[in-house]
Amino acid sequence: MLADLDMGDGMNLGNRDGRIALDCSVRRTKHKGLYMISTTDFFFPLVESPYLQGRIGACNVLSDLYAEGVVDCDFVLMLLAASRDMPDDVRKSCTRAMVRGFNDACAEANTTVTGGQTVLNPWPIIGGVATSLCTEDEFVSPDGAVVGDVVMVTKPVGTQVAVNLWQWHKKNNAHWNQCVAAAVTDAEKAANAMHAAVESMGRLNRNAAKCMIKYGAHAATDVTGFGILGHAQNLSENQQAEVGIEIHTLPTIAGMAAVNDACGIDFKLKEGYSAETSGGLMICMPAENSAKFIEEMFTLDGQPAWEIGRVVSSKERKSCITADCKILEV
């Protein structure tokens, strides 16, 4: 849609044509050896708690920096939309809680909010701009994947299905009744899935970024709105080498594959196109480092990471989910 607008100046690092960046803008500065890495994102309401909305919004913004292996964000600018359709007292309470959640996540990430912009909007929205000034050994260029790399992911997929399932349960609507009739869920399972989704969305990818340089990562991206296969395809198209990604395992929030099949709406979860919010990092790294990466991620996050695929030769830079792909319920 925007291809004919000729955006970018050819000087962005980390992507083949030097134009629009994959996750972050990576630029050489006028100061020798220093690079400016920046990104922006925002989050609209998917959860009932405004505090958690703010926290997830901050995790979502910072995630693109982490996908470059950048551990330390120098500062964040907040983008905030307060709902004009709420009563004044509710708008004030909701907005304060969103900002508190955003600010707390930034503090956990050892960064700070230094400014931003606020508007009125029908929906409450929160996001921002994250920036880091780095030397060359403090980030991983996202275009260096090579044939033989394994592909890791640090969070399960299925958040979109879990959030919708919880909303259907609250409304007791036709989709919910269809899932219950198919015996694929109940109130307890829906609550557990929503809890897993919120935990995942609200967890910083900072520890994964710490491990990227340590374990020799060659390229990475975060899994968000295009789904895991959509982002794998974007990543493969961005590589200097002619490679693709084959995904042989899909770690999925427990029960969500069955809900996807039974609910009457195809989120394309098993096809890899179900949208994720503040998803995990998808990292290409040497196969010999996979086990140590998984072990350290569990030590740091208390949550598993998985080897889900491999980098293969592909002149078309085509990524795919294999025909025998395993759905791993977690």
Side-chain angles (χ1 to χ4, degrees):
M1 181 176 68
L2 304 178
D4 62 342
L5 296 183
D6 196 32
M7 298 175 69
D9 61 1
M11 299 298 289
N12 269 337
L13 305 180
N15 54 317
R16 284 193 298 125
D17 62 7
R19 292 187 178 274
I20 299 302
L22 183 65
D23 290 308
C24 291
S25 173
V26 182
R27 309 283 293 190
R28 287 188 179 90
T29 69
K30 62 185 179 182
H31 303 289
K32 186 176 180 180
L34 291 180
Y35 298 80
M36 184 69 73
I37 303 181
S38 59
T39 184
T40 185
D41 213 330
F42 62 88
F43 179 55
F44 56 90
L46 283 182
V47 293
E48 296 166 340
S49 162
Y51 177 87
L52 288 175
Q53 182 185 349
R55 178 177 178 84
I56 294 167
C59 291
N60 206 35
V61 171
L62 291 164
S63 186
D64 284 339
L65 279 187
Y66 297 146
E68 308 289 327
V70 175
V71 175
D72 296 313
C73 175
D74 289 318
F75 64 92
V76 174
L77 300 175
M78 183 187 294
L79 303 175
L80 176 67
S83 174
R84 70 185 182 205
D85 294 340
M86 290 179 175
D88 288 349
D89 58 336
V90 176
R91 178 171 60 245
K92 181 178 180 180
S93 174
C94 176
T95 303
R96 284 179 57 85
M98 281 198 307
V99 171
R100 187 162 53 86
F102 191 98
N103 196 55
D104 284 355
C106 287
E108 183 181 321
N110 199 30
T111 189
T112 188
V113 178
T114 60
Q117 183 63 272
T118 304
V119 297
L120 288 173
N121 186 65
W123 286 359
I125 294 174
I126 194 163
V129 179
T131 303
S132 184
L133 191 64
C134 298
T135 58
E136 194 167 9
D137 60 350
E138 291 178 317
F139 70 95
V140 174
S141 185
D143 60 354
V146 296
V147 173
D149 279 351
V150 292
V151 181
M152 318 299 295
V153 76
T154 62
K155 294 180 183 180
V157 298
T159 56
Q160 183 184 42
V161 182
V163 168
N164 277 275
L165 179 65
W166 183 246
Q167 292 173 345
W168 299 338
H169 166 59
K170 300 280 281 189
K171 294 176 180 178
N172 194 28
N173 65 10
H175 296 301
W176 171 254
N177 292 328
Q178 197 165 335
C179 290
V180 172
V184 298
T185 196
D186 54 33
E188 182 179 3
K189 290 178 181 177
N192 289 341
M194 185 61 181
H195 176 80
V198 170
E199 187 282 328
S200 175
M201 293 187 292
R203 177 164 28 106
L204 291 166
N205 283 323
R206 193 174 187 225
N207 287 327
K210 290 178 181 178
C211 291
M212 281 177 61
I213 292 176
K214 181 175 181 178
Y215 292 108
H218 293 145
T221 188
D222 62 337
V223 180
T224 51
F226 295 121
I228 194 165
L229 181 56
H231 285 285
Q233 183 60 45
N234 289 343
L235 188 60
S236 61
E237 290 176 357
N238 188 66
Q239 300 310 301
Q240 297 292 338
E242 293 180 337
V243 296
I245 291 172
E246 289 184 351
I247 297 173
H248 56 60
T249 304
L250 279 180
T252 306
I253 295 173
M256 294 307 97
V259 168
N260 178 84
D261 292 344
C263 69
I265 299 175
D266 186 4
F267 292 98
K268 297 190 179 300
L269 177 64
K270 292 188 285 189
E271 291 85 354
Y273 292 116
S274 183
E276 305 296 329
T277 296
S278 188
L281 298 192
M282 181 164 50
I283 306 168
C284 304
M285 67 171 55
E288 61 268 24
N289 294 341
S290 170
K292 290 181 180 178
F293 175 85
I294 290 171
E295 181 180 0
E296 183 155 355
M297 281 301 300
F298 189 80
T299 299
L300 293 173
D301 271 351
Q303 296 289 343
W306 303 270
E307 182 180 316
I308 64 160
R310 56 188 173 266
V311 177
V312 298
S313 177
S314 173
K315 289 187 177 298
E316 299 80 20
R317 294 186 164 88
K318 178 69 173 177
S319 290
C320 68
I321 291 180
T322 61
D324 60 348
C325 181
K326 179 183 179 181
I327 304 297
L328 181 65
E329 298 215 335
V330 299

mmCIF file of all heavy atoms in Angstrom, residues 145-165:
data_model
loop_
_atom_site.group_PDB
_atom_site.id
_atom_site.type_symbol
_atom_site.label_atom_id
_atom_site.label_comp_id
_atom_site.label_asym_id
_atom_site.label_seq_id
_atom_site.Cartn_x
_atom_site.Cartn_y
_atom_site.Cartn_z
ATOM 1 N N ALA A 145 20.823 -13.849 9.773
ATOM 2 C CA ALA A 145 20.515 -15.273 9.887
ATOM 3 C C ALA A 145 21.221 -16.071 8.796
ATOM 4 O O ALA A 145 21.360 -15.612 7.658
ATOM 5 C CB ALA A 145 19.006 -15.493 9.798
ATOM 6 N N VAL A 146 21.659 -17.280 9.139
ATOM 7 C CA VAL A 146 22.354 -18.137 8.187
ATOM 8 C C VAL A 146 21.732 -19.533 8.209
ATOM 9 O O VAL A 146 21.119 -19.949 9.207
ATOM 10 C CB VAL A 146 23.865 -18.235 8.501
ATOM 11 C CG1 VAL A 146 24.537 -16.884 8.351
ATOM 12 C CG2 VAL A 146 24.102 -18.796 9.904
ATOM 13 N N VAL A 147 21.878 -20.236 7.102
ATOM 14 C CA VAL A 147 21.376 -21.598 7.001
ATOM 15 C C VAL A 147 21.985 -22.440 8.125
ATOM 16 O O VAL A 147 23.191 -22.394 8.377
ATOM 17 C CB VAL A 147 21.722 -22.196 5.628
ATOM 18 C CG1 VAL A 147 21.352 -23.683 5.585
ATOM 19 C CG2 VAL A 147 21.009 -21.447 4.517
ATOM 20 N N GLY A 148 21.137 -23.200 8.806
ATOM 21 C CA GLY A 148 21.585 -24.021 9.925
ATOM 22 C C GLY A 148 21.250 -23.433 11.276
ATOM 23 O O GLY A 148 21.269 -24.162 12.285
ATOM 24 N N ASP A 149 20.950 -22.129 11.333
ATOM 25 C CA ASP A 149 20.492 -21.550 12.597
ATOM 26 C C ASP A 149 19.211 -22.239 13.048
ATOM 27 O O ASP A 149 18.369 -22.644 12.229
ATOM 28 C CB ASP A 149 20.185 -20.053 12.433
ATOM 29 C CG ASP A 149 21.414 -19.173 12.495
ATOM 30 O OD1 ASP A 149 22.499 -19.681 12.834
ATOM 31 O OD2 ASP A 149 21.285 -17.959 12.201
ATOM 32 N N VAL A 150 19.027 -22.326 14.365
ATOM 33 C CA VAL A 150 17.732 -22.712 14.906
ATOM 34 C C VAL A 150 16.946 -21.445 15.219
ATOM 35 O O VAL A 150 17.511 -20.359 15.358
ATOM 36 C CB VAL A 150 17.869 -23.594 16.156
ATOM 37 C CG1 VAL A 150 18.456 -24.937 15.797
ATOM 38 C CG2 VAL A 150 18.678 -22.894 17.237
ATOM 39 N N VAL A 151 15.641 -21.600 15.318
ATOM 40 C CA VAL A 151 14.756 -20.476 15.597
ATOM 41 C C VAL A 151 14.105 -20.710 16.949
ATOM 42 O O VAL A 151 13.475 -21.756 17.179
ATOM 43 C CB VAL A 151 13.689 -20.311 14.498
ATOM 44 C CG1 VAL A 151 12.797 -19.110 14.798
ATOM 45 C CG2 VAL A 151 14.347 -20.166 13.125
ATOM 46 N N MET A 152 14.281 -19.740 17.848
ATOM 47 C CA MET A 152 13.745 -19.822 19.196
ATOM 48 C C MET A 152 12.572 -18.854 19.342
ATOM 49 O O MET A 152 12.499 -17.840 18.643
ATOM 50 C CB MET A 152 14.821 -19.451 20.219
ATOM 51 C CG MET A 152 16.212 -20.020 19.956
ATOM 52 S SD MET A 152 16.254 -21.812 19.943
ATOM 53 C CE MET A 152 15.836 -22.144 21.667
ATOM 54 N N VAL A 153 11.677 -19.150 20.271
ATOM 55 C CA VAL A 153 10.644 -18.177 20.635
ATOM 56 C C VAL A 153 10.490 -18.203 22.150
ATOM 57 O O VAL A 153 10.665 -19.249 22.787
ATOM 58 C CB VAL A 153 9.305 -18.458 19.916
ATOM 59 C CG1 VAL A 153 8.559 -19.633 20.539
ATOM 60 C CG2 VAL A 153 8.418 -17.214 19.895
ATOM 61 N N THR A 154 10.179 -17.035 22.728
ATOM 62 C CA THR A 154 10.228 -16.904 24.188
ATOM 63 C C THR A 154 8.863 -16.760 24.852
ATOM 64 O O THR A 154 8.789 -16.652 26.071
ATOM 65 C CB THR A 154 11.107 -15.703 24.587
ATOM 66 O OG1 THR A 154 10.527 -14.501 24.055
ATOM 67 C CG2 THR A 154 12.520 -15.867 24.043
ATOM 68 N N LYS A 155 7.786 -16.748 24.075
ATOM 69 C CA LYS A 155 6.433 -16.737 24.628
ATOM 70 C C LYS A 155 5.530 -17.578 23.738
ATOM 71 O O LYS A 155 5.775 -17.672 22.525
ATOM 72 C CB LYS A 155 5.870 -15.308 24.718
ATOM 73 C CG LYS A 155 6.568 -14.386 25.688
ATOM 74 C CD LYS A 155 5.909 -13.000 25.693
ATOM 75 C CE LYS A 155 6.626 -12.018 26.598
ATOM 76 N NZ LYS A 155 5.976 -10.669 26.593
ATOM 77 N N PRO A 156 4.465 -18.172 24.302
ATOM 78 C CA PRO A 156 3.538 -18.946 23.477
ATOM 79 C C PRO A 156 2.640 -18.026 22.645
ATOM 80 O O PRO A 156 2.477 -16.847 22.955
ATOM 81 C CB PRO A 156 2.711 -19.713 24.510
ATOM 82 C CG PRO A 156 2.716 -18.819 25.719
ATOM 83 C CD PRO A 156 4.071 -18.164 25.728
ATOM 84 N N VAL A 157 2.059 -18.595 21.598
ATOM 85 C CA VAL A 157 1.057 -17.877 20.821
ATOM 86 C C VAL A 157 -0.331 -18.210 21.373
ATOM 87 O O VAL A 157 -0.486 -19.104 22.205
ATOM 88 C CB VAL A 157 1.156 -18.223 19.321
ATOM 89 C CG1 VAL A 157 2.505 -17.804 18.765
ATOM 90 C CG2 VAL A 157 0.910 -19.704 19.072
ATOM 91 N N GLY A 158 -1.331 -17.473 20.907
ATOM 92 C CA GLY A 158 -2.705 -17.728 21.322
ATOM 93 C C GLY A 158 -3.338 -16.646 22.158
ATOM 94 O O GLY A 158 -4.474 -16.810 22.637
ATOM 95 N N THR A 159 -2.647 -15.505 22.331
ATOM 96 C CA THR A 159 -3.222 -14.445 23.172
ATOM 97 C C THR A 159 -4.514 -13.889 22.577
ATOM 98 O O THR A 159 -5.455 -13.592 23.312
ATOM 99 C CB THR A 159 -2.217 -13.296 23.390
ATOM 100 O OG1 THR A 159 -1.784 -12.778 22.130
ATOM 101 C CG2 THR A 159 -1.014 -13.776 24.178
ATOM 102 N N GLN A 160 -4.573 -13.737 21.253
ATOM 103 C CA GLN A 160 -5.786 -13.187 20.639
ATOM 104 C C GLN A 160 -6.987 -14.094 20.908
ATOM 105 O O GLN A 160 -8.080 -13.608 21.241
ATOM 106 C CB GLN A 160 -5.587 -13.024 19.139
ATOM 107 C CG GLN A 160 -6.791 -12.395 18.432
ATOM 108 C CD GLN A 160 -6.621 -12.337 16.925
ATOM 109 O OE1 GLN A 160 -6.154 -13.286 16.308
ATOM 110 N NE2 GLN A 160 -6.992 -11.218 16.326
ATOM 111 N N VAL A 161 -6.795 -15.387 20.785
ATOM 112 C CA VAL A 161 -7.885 -16.329 21.025
ATOM 113 C C VAL A 161 -8.286 -16.301 22.498
ATOM 114 O O VAL A 161 -9.479 -16.278 22.829
ATOM 115 C CB VAL A 161 -7.467 -17.751 20.603
ATOM 116 C CG1 VAL A 161 -8.628 -18.722 20.817
ATOM 117 C CG2 VAL A 161 -7.025 -17.770 19.143
ATOM 118 N N ALA A 162 -7.304 -16.264 23.396
ATOM 119 C CA ALA A 162 -7.598 -16.272 24.830
ATOM 120 C C ALA A 162 -8.374 -15.026 25.260
ATOM 121 O O ALA A 162 -9.334 -15.118 26.040
ATOM 122 C CB ALA A 162 -6.300 -16.379 25.624
ATOM 123 N N VAL A 163 -7.984 -13.868 24.751
ATOM 124 C CA VAL A 163 -8.674 -12.617 25.102
ATOM 125 C C VAL A 163 -10.109 -12.649 24.585
ATOM 126 O O VAL A 163 -11.052 -12.264 25.296
ATOM 127 C CB VAL A 163 -7.901 -11.408 24.544
ATOM 128 C CG1 VAL A 163 -8.740 -10.141 24.627
ATOM 129 C CG2 VAL A 163 -6.591 -11.216 25.306
ATOM 130 N N ASN A 164 -10.292 -13.099 23.357
ATOM 131 C CA ASN A 164 -11.651 -13.176 22.803
ATOM 132 C C ASN A 164 -12.498 -14.191 23.553
ATOM 133 O O ASN A 164 -13.686 -13.934 23.818
ATOM 134 C CB ASN A 164 -11.591 -13.537 21.323
ATOM 135 C CG ASN A 164 -11.350 -12.322 20.451
ATOM 136 O OD1 ASN A 164 -12.277 -11.613 20.081
ATOM 137 N ND2 ASN A 164 -10.091 -12.064 20.144
ATOM 138 N N LEU A 165 -11.909 -15.323 23.903
ATOM 139 C CA LEU A 165 -12.649 -16.341 24.648
ATOM 140 C C LEU A 165 -13.158 -15.780 25.968
ATOM 141 O O LEU A 165 -14.318 -16.020 26.349
ATOM 142 C CB LEU A 165 -11.750 -17.553 24.897
ATOM 143 C CG LEU A 165 -12.383 -18.702 25.693
ATOM 144 C CD1 LEU A 165 -13.536 -19.333 24.921
ATOM 145 C CD2 LEU A 165 -11.327 -19.754 26.049
#
